[in-house]
Amino acid sequence: MRMDGVKAMKTTASRWMRAARADDVRRTGRLAVQLDGHAVALFVSDRRVYAIDNRCPHMGFPLDRGSVADGILTCHWHHARFDLAGGGTFDQFADDVRSYPVEIRGDEIYVDLAPRGDPRAHHRRRLRDGLERDIPLVIAKASLVLGADDAGAVEAVRIGVEFGTRYRGAGWGQGLTMLTCYANLLPHLDEADRSWALYQGLSAVARDTAGAAPRFVLAPLPDEAAGIDRLTAWFRRFVEVRDAEGAERCVVSAVREGADAAALARMLFAAATDHRFIQTGHVLDFTNKAFEALDIAGWDRAEGVLASLATAYATADRMEESNEWRHPVDLVAIVEAAADVLPAALEAGRRRRNGEGVGAAPSGEGRDRSEMISVLLGEDPQAIADALLDALRRGSTPADAAADVVYAAALRIARFPQSNEFGDWDTALHTFTFANAVHQGLRRIGVATGSEPLARGVFDAAMSVYLDRFLNVPPARLPDPDPGAPAGPELLAGLAAALDRQQQVAPAARLVATYLARENAAAPLVAILGRLLVREDRNFHTIQMLEAAVRQYAELWRAEAGAHMLVAAARYLAAHAPTVRAQGQTFEIARRLHRGERLFEEE
């Protein structure tokens, strides 16, 4: 019989190599060969010769062990099916297998090994397939290719943000928050871990959108000149009466009118703090993460991203409605009384910072924080509110005050005793991430104008720190450095080994404290904490914890407060480790396939 070669696809530079004698393939109908490091499977079907990569793109099983019928090759490991001629898969959990052009020259079979196509374009498309169908291995492969450099990682985050805001009817949720947290951590991770973190974040978006109805973004108002001040007032009014559609249309209109990032932040943060600690802080934290996502993925996505927040605003629980904020001490009354005098306190502080008052204004890390922290961790909520107001009057900025509250919230976690119920870790976590979001929001807005509404959040966070005081009874001791511990790299290896076991909260904290006391550069410690995060099947709160702690530490790293941030993060990580690590196993399969390694070995 005569065997015709498959018509070759055009390539920029062919690289033909002899593969086999035609008679050798004819006898068995298939033959596996190695060509310049490529594992190639040759098949005879319908009197034609086909050549494809011999590794199944799903998990690497040798395709020459599969079966061919009617032009379809079926892998016998997970039954993925491929068009033998072009390599296209019929099963999206797999991937297209690479096919090679073939020529028959006399009785010799030649295969063209020249690269074809654009791998990045392919994996951008496949990333969308993986997100749509929640296929972790497909997402992992795309993350490895796109996450190889900063530009590709931004592309992947952009795809994830766009997908998550479009295909989750309930709007911005945990998945997009996790993706943003991982994106923020990427610069702190070792190169080998960045694609892994990207995969974790993108997989969270896929899980969060799986089975959900899509979102249909509302059109802006016909009047394109309502103005940001009026739209902000309307937005706050609609949130007040729990009208999600009215609130969303105000956001869309503000974006279309060209409101800048600071104006949009003031608009949203004001409504997020019109009520006390709504949805245990998640709404404000999600809003902060939405802004951070836009900083990374691009502000041309602002309309869809910010509109996706509106439903959460309108439906959130409000702590005015909760017993713990009302009895036995009415914390809501304390915060609202502070809000009444807050404008005057902020004006007094502004005048003092501008030299219009008496004495120098305290600012940033130049301040003595110890007295304030002692009050924030104390037993008197009215004294807490009064101390914050006094600090603002004396010249502390709202962001300065928020930084103190973030530190106090971190100390609640650093001193969290394991005698508490396990779920109470999250109680302390909610306060910390809310306080961090207030702090980051105030830094985004600045002190010039419009910080007053969000500054109320400082008092909300402080009251939540007060409510968490029983989680420090008795307080765990802050760790002292261990003089007998090994040097830096060995110490970090010991930290990783400790988190392979349960109940290593105190040892992990001491290892971190020891490293920070000895080493001048903390980047290796932050990188290893990031690796210990991504290697686990991490939950939402653990990701939030480390990301916020690293962000705060980056601003405080030479201060004692900075060390306590990472101690708190290490304790939280250790409390929630180890896990099954199924996601890491999937990623490792993808990484080995990406490297061209063999996953299948003979018994």
Side-chain angles (χ1 to χ4, degrees):
M1 68 178 180
R2 179 174 178 269
M3 299 182 295
D4 296 323
V6 177
K7 184 178 180 181
M9 294 181 63
K10 291 183 179 180
T11 59
T12 54
S14 298
R15 190 157 67 93
W16 293 96
M17 293 193 67
R18 180 191 176 280
R21 295 179 64 249
D23 285 345
D24 292 339
V25 182
R26 182 186 302 120
R27 277 194 294 272
T28 59
R30 67 193 63 200
L31 183 67
V33 297
Q34 288 287 329
L35 300 178
D36 194 26
H38 296 263
V40 177
L42 302 171
F43 290 91
V44 176
S45 179
D46 300 326
R47 300 175 59 83
R48 303 178 73 178
V49 177
Y50 301 89
I52 62 170
D53 191 316
N54 198 28
R55 299 178 310 145
C56 177
H58 179 220
M59 289 185 65
F61 191 83
L63 288 174
D64 69 297
R65 298 193 175 201
S67 59
V68 175
D70 194 26
I72 294 176
L73 169 63
T74 301
C75 176
H76 284 183
W77 200 347
H78 295 92
H79 308 290
R81 298 159 299 166
F82 305 93
D83 166 23
L84 187 59
T89 185
F90 297 96
D91 300 286
Q92 292 301 304
F93 66 81
D95 200 346
D96 295 344
V97 66
R98 181 179 176 184
S99 63
Y100 299 93
V102 173
E103 283 187 3
I104 307 299
R105 303 175 184 176
D107 193 40
E108 303 290 340
I109 298 172
Y110 281 77
V111 173
D112 183 6
L113 298 179
R116 292 177 295 147
D118 178 357
R120 283 183 178 273
H122 171 76
H123 282 287
R124 284 194 295 269
R125 177 179 64 79
R126 286 298 287 161
L127 175 55
R128 292 183 176 92
D129 292 339
L131 291 169
E132 288 171 1
R133 294 165 176 81
D134 189 14
I135 312 174
L137 190 60
V138 171
I139 296 170
K141 290 179 181 180
S143 298
L144 281 160
V145 173
L146 298 176
D149 56 56
D150 292 344
V154 169
E155 272 191 298
V157 172
R158 184 177 173 89
I159 291 169
V161 167
E162 181 180 2
F163 185 89
T165 52
R166 180 177 295 180
Y167 293 107
R168 187 175 188 270
W172 188 282
Q174 292 187 4
L176 285 167
T177 301
M178 292 161 73
L179 174 61
T180 307
C181 285
Y182 277 123
N184 286 338
L185 286 170
L186 289 182
H188 302 281
L189 300 179
D190 289 339
E191 185 176 350
D193 297 328
R194 290 170 191 163
S195 292
W196 196 353
L198 190 60
Y199 155 68
Q200 292 273 29
L202 291 165
S203 293
V205 173
R207 291 193 304 272
D208 212 19
T209 55
R215 289 192 69 251
F216 300 100
V217 178
L218 297 175
L221 294 166
D223 177 12
E224 297 182 358
I228 187 62
D229 291 340
R230 173 164 285 188
L231 288 170
T232 297
W234 287 347
F235 177 69
R236 295 170 73 175
R237 182 187 308 172
F238 290 135
V239 170
E240 180 68 30
V241 298
R242 300 187 181 277
D243 180 354
E245 288 187 347
E248 179 177 336
R249 202 164 194 195
C250 290
V251 174
V252 173
S253 299
V255 175
R256 288 288 183 95
E257 284 191 15
D260 62 22
L264 292 167
R266 289 192 292 269
M267 177 184 194
L268 290 163
F269 287 136
T273 51
D274 278 338
H275 292 277
R276 311 281 62 80
F277 197 53
I278 61 175
Q279 208 67 39
T280 60
H282 282 127
V283 170
L284 189 69
D285 185 54
F286 285 6
T287 302
N288 180 55
K289 284 293 172 284
F291 282 113
E292 292 174 358
L294 291 172
D295 291 340
I296 297 167
W299 277 83
D300 59 322
R301 290 288 177 266
E303 186 173 314
V305 168
L306 299 182
S308 74
L309 295 164
T311 297
Y313 273 71
T315 59
D317 293 336
R318 301 166 177 178
M319 288 303 104
E320 297 96 311
E321 303 162 343
S322 71
N323 181 67
E324 65 187 38
W325 278 69
R326 289 292 193 179
H327 303 284
V329 179
D330 193 340
L331 302 180
V332 174
I334 292 174
V335 173
E336 291 182 347
D340 289 340
V341 298
L342 181 59
L346 292 175
E347 175 60 18
R350 184 196 65 80
R351 289 169 58 85
R352 190 165 186 184
R353 287 193 302 274
N354 290 341
E356 300 173 32
V358 179
S363 177
E365 283 306 302
R367 298 171 295 126
D368 180 5
R369 315 178 71 163
S370 57
E371 183 177 349
M372 175 61 78
I373 298 305
S374 178
V375 174
L376 288 170
L377 295 175
E379 298 282 336
D380 186 345
Q382 186 60 62
I384 291 170
D386 292 343
L388 288 170
L389 285 168
D390 186 55
L392 293 170
R393 291 187 189 102
R394 289 185 292 109
S396 288
T397 67
D400 290 337
D404 288 340
V405 178
V406 176
Y407 178 41
L411 287 175
R412 290 286 189 221
I413 299 171
R415 294 174 172 176
F416 186 96
Q418 291 178 267
S419 55
N420 288 319
E421 285 191 293
F422 186 75
D424 280 333
W425 282 103
D426 291 346
T427 302
L429 178 280
H430 287 145
T431 303
F432 176 61
T433 53
F434 175 80
N436 174 67
V438 172
H439 183 217
Q440 300 308 324
L442 286 167
R443 294 178 74 233
R444 180 180 294 275
I445 291 172
V447 297
T449 58
S451 64
E452 177 191 325
L454 182 54
R456 297 173 302 185
V458 177
F459 295 84
D460 289 351
M463 292 302 110
S464 191
V465 170
Y466 162 77
L467 285 172
D468 293 345
R469 67 197 184 282
F470 292 113
L471 301 179
N472 290 157
V473 178
R477 288 188 58 189
L478 293 172
D480 295 318
D482 180 1
E490 292 181 67
L491 194 151
L492 294 179
L495 179 61
L499 267 65
D500 282 329
R501 306 188 301 277
Q502 292 182 336
Q503 303 300 319
Q504 297 300 300
V505 172
R510 194 174 193 199
L511 286 167
V512 167
T514 302
Y515 186 93
L516 291 172
R518 290 184 179 180
E519 305 293 331
N520 188 43
L525 172 62
V526 174
I528 198 67
L529 288 171
R531 178 175 298 169
L532 297 178
L533 177 75
V534 300
R535 77 176 183 176
E536 305 287 347
D537 293 350
R538 286 298 183 190
N539 65 15
F540 169 55
H541 291 136
T542 313
I543 298 163
Q544 283 185 298
M545 177 69 224
L546 184 64
E547 187 270 341
V550 168
R551 181 176 286 271
Q552 291 293 329
Y553 178 75
E555 301 170 10
L556 301 168
W557 74 277
R558 288 193 181 276
E560 183 183 45
H564 292 157
M565 289 288 175
L566 293 190
V567 164
R571 297 184 87 249
Y572 199 97
L573 283 171
H576 296 78
T579 65
V580 175
R581 302 180 185 174
Q583 289 177 300
Q585 183 176 0
T586 298
F587 184 77
E588 185 58 26
I589 290 169
R591 181 151 53 189
R592 292 182 64 190
L593 287 170
H594 182 65
R595 291 171 176 167
E597 298 177 12
R598 293 183 62 186
L599 274 74
F600 173 80
E601 301 288 349
E602 296 283 2
E603 293 291 342

